């Protein structure tokens, strides 16, 4: 089937592609109980050499710039304790780490988690981290603009491959907190 967004001729339901996903993402798809049926989570095979947003959009369709979201891992610190969480914002914005994230996590200081921590704790590849399949005890901060987007392109857990998901799905993921202003315009 054709994908609902972008220039992808072959989109397949993610439940039919479990072997192409990382373990945590495949487990989340396998156990899916969301309002949106798992068959509406679509997988598209992509070249990992062009996984970064700018190159990806140039190759697969300019309309994707407004329909892509980035998932990043953040670390909030307070009193010697570190809390890991994930943030999902449209690719045309950046995460408000020192404002919205810090306040939401109740942290004195918030920053992007080191790459080794992000990949080690999620079981996903750097550049492919996705909100589907995150550790169960994590908070997932989601910008409201992502939820309001009909179809959203996100990572699949690997640099090769992407998921295309209805935006409303993200509000129902485990630990999800939808926030206005989590994503701020890039300078």
């Amino acid at each position: 089937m054709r994908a609902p967004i972008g220039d992808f001729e072959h989109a397949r339901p993610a439940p039919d592609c479990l072997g192409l996903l990382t373990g945590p993402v495949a487990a989340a798809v396998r156990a899916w109980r969301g309002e949106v049926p798992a068959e509406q989570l679509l997988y598209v095979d992509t070249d990992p050499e062009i996984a970064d947003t700018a190159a990806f959009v140039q190759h697969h369709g300019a309309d994707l710039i407004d329909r892509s979201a980035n998932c990043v891992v953040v670390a909030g610190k307070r009193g010697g304790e570190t809390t890991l969480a994930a943030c999902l914002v449209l690719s045309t914005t950046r995460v408000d780490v020192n404002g919205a994230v810090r306040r939401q996590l109740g942290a004195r200081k918030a920053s992007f988690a080191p790459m080794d921590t992000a990949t080690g704790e999620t079981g996903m590849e750097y550049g492919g981290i996705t909100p589907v399949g995150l550790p169960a005890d994590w908070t997932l901060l989601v910008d409201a603009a992502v939820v309001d987007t009909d179809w959203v392109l996100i990572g699949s857990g690997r640099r090769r491959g992407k998921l295309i998901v209805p935006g409303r799905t993200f509000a129902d993921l485990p630990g999800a907190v939808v926030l206005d202003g989590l994503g701020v315009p890039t300078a």
Side-chain angles (χ1 to χ4, degrees), residues 3 10 20 22 25 45 74 78 80 102 107 133 137 139-140 149 162 176:
H10 302 289
L20 301 172
T22 59
V25 178
D45 189 34
V74 294
R78 181 176 201 88
R102 187 182 54 75
D137 60 339
T139 298
L140 168 62
T149 303
K162 299 284 186 186

Side-chain angles (χ1 to χ4, degrees), residues 7 17 23 58 83 89 91 104 120 125 129-130 141-142 144-145 148 161-162 166-167 173 182:
D7 186 21
C17 303
Q58 184 177 5
T83 302
V89 299
S91 63
Q104 190 65 37
E125 294 177 3
I129 293 176
T130 182
L141 304 177
V142 182
D148 292 339
K162 299 284 186 186
L173 289 176
L182 176 64

